[in-house]
Amino acid sequence: MAQKTLGAAIGLGLDGALAADDRVLLMGEDIGRLGGVFRVTDGLQKKWGADRVIDTPLAEAGILGTAVGLAYRGYRPVVEIQFDGFIYPAFDQIVAQVAKLHYRTRGAVRMPITIRVPFGGGIGAVEHHSESPEAYFAHTAGLRVVACSHPQDAYWMIRQAIACDDPVLFFEPKRRYWVTGEVDASLDAAPPLEAARVVVEGTDATIVTYGPLVATALDAALAAADEGISLEVIDLRSLSPVDFDTVEASVRKTGRLVITHEAQQFGGLGAELATSITERCFTHLLAAPARVTGHDIPYPPSRLEEHFLPDLDRVLDAVDRVLGRANSLTGWTL
């Protein structure tokens, strides 16, 4: 196995997909000669040619519309949205066409399109470059929505997303692009694309998260262990469909649930998770589920983003609340 950054692992997965299937095409702004803003596609155009790794105009709706046409002709396009905040011009194509064509044609047409989206904050970027729009797409029937959190999983998941006959929104946590880890380029041990992963087992409370906050949740588990608290951490991986069975099994064991994501709280995935798990585990819950999210405001200027993003203290505060302990942030208990 080789050491790779998360970004390089995705690039390795794209390279493998191009080699495995000549119907796979990559499309996006600056992904060819430049190799992408985050260099995820570095070297792929030189290796596979400009007709398979395609630099496009700055026109997100046009890129997705072209991908729909290519999918109709049997190709498997992989589209890169350069930054999360630029996906909105393509919103209509994604939710009104990509998501619905299979259903609209009664199964006659498949849309095996993978839409890569660098998402989330934490890199000090300017406006429109630090958003978390995953809930919009998880709400749309007909789309799969996934988020990777570490290099090995990123490699497996991008290969599975491209091989999938359904359209997949593939969210990449941009502040974790430079995290390194071992990557096995085989697919033999890969879990299913829709399966959640128990990263750390615990007994006192369950933390459910995905993408950029998996590392924060792991830090919380380590810090809590110093006080004798055992936290179970679940990386959701698939945001639609959600692997509720894995979350339910964990909460039935621990009796307490903390959900954390960078996106705003109102109407977010945390609300869906809290409701669904409460419905499934009501008699097993020892406290109401707690959410730790971004605030219900537009993403702030970069100098204020540390106050917006969930951090270790806020996650531990939520753990204290579900455990009924006095805590340093609010000073109150349940």
Side-chain angles (χ1 to χ4, degrees):
M1 291 191 286
Q3 284 282 333
K4 297 281 184 184
T5 65
L6 186 144
I10 296 171
L12 182 66
L14 295 171
D15 186 39
L18 286 161
D21 189 340
D22 60 10
R23 297 172 299 170
V24 174
L25 306 173
L26 311 188
M27 303 167 57
E29 299 156 11
D30 298 323
I31 69 164
R33 291 181 62 186
L34 182 66
V37 171
F38 297 101
R39 303 298 187 267
V40 171
T41 53
D42 192 27
L44 295 182
Q45 188 183 69
K46 185 176 182 180
K47 181 175 182 178
W48 295 103
D51 58 342
R52 296 194 67 195
V53 182
I54 303 165
D55 278 319
T56 66
L58 199 162
E60 286 77 10
I63 297 169
L64 261 298
T66 303
V68 169
L70 286 165
Y72 258 106
R73 300 294 295 176
Y75 291 94
R76 309 183 80 87
V78 181
V79 169
E80 179 183 299
I81 300 295
Q82 197 170 68
F83 282 93
D84 35 39
F86 303 149
I87 200 168
Y88 303 119
F91 192 81
D92 175 68
Q93 287 287 351
I94 296 170
V95 304
Q97 308 302 333
V98 173
K100 293 182 171 64
L101 278 166
H102 185 231
Y103 190 83
R104 188 183 298 151
T105 61
R106 299 183 180 182
V109 173
R110 304 305 297 251
M111 284 286 120
I113 301 173
T114 301
I115 304 169
R116 295 181 41 238
V117 189
F119 84 121
I123 64 168
V126 297
E127 189 178 16
H128 304 313
H129 290 69
S130 301
E131 301 196 13
S132 299
E134 61 269 23
Y136 294 124
F137 303 103
H139 183 68
T140 302
L143 299 175
R144 287 178 180 259
V145 183
V146 302
C148 59
S149 66
H150 70 92
Q152 179 64 76
D153 224 20
Y155 172 80
W156 282 335
M157 292 174 72
I158 192 67
R159 292 293 306 269
Q160 292 170 322
I162 296 169
C164 181
D165 282 336
D166 299 327
V168 180
L169 271 291
F170 190 88
F171 283 96
E172 303 168 5
K174 63 173 80 79
R175 65 167 151 149
R176 308 296 184 194
Y177 269 137
W178 301 274
V179 171
T180 59
E182 289 189 337
V183 175
D184 179 352
S186 75
L187 298 171
D188 296 339
L193 185 60
E194 62 275 12
R197 183 171 64 105
V198 178
V199 187
V200 171
E201 293 189 1
T203 56
D204 293 329
T206 300
I207 300 181
V208 177
T209 187
Y210 54 87
L213 290 185
V214 173
T216 306
L218 291 174
D219 289 342
L222 279 175
D226 287 341
E227 298 185 24
I229 299 168
S230 173
L231 299 181
E232 183 147 300
V233 176
I234 294 179
D235 179 359
L236 211 54
R237 300 177 74 247
S238 177
L239 315 185
S240 180
V242 171
D243 179 4
F244 285 115
D245 290 345
T246 295
V247 182
E248 177 182 349
S250 177
V251 173
R252 283 176 178 265
K253 177 175 64 174
T254 65
R256 297 174 174 89
L257 174 62
V258 174
I259 305 153
T260 184
H261 54 63
E262 287 190 10
Q264 288 85 350
Q265 179 170 295
F266 185 82
L269 282 165
E272 180 60 41
L273 282 159
T275 304
S276 294
I277 294 303
T278 299
E279 289 173 345
R280 287 171 172 241
C281 306
F282 184 74
T283 58
H284 295 266
L285 282 168
L286 301 172
R291 288 174 287 169
V292 186
T293 69
H295 302 297
D296 290 327
I297 59 171
Y299 197 88
S302 59
R303 283 190 290 182
L304 298 175
E305 67 180 351
E306 66 181 272
H307 302 291
F308 177 88
L309 295 170
D311 60 10
L312 178 61
D313 286 341
R314 288 176 61 195
V315 173
L316 289 174
D317 170 73
V319 170
D320 283 342
R321 281 187 278 135
V322 299
L323 288 170
R325 302 171 78 226
N327 62 78
S328 58
L329 289 186
T330 58
W332 56 271
T333 62
L334 287 173

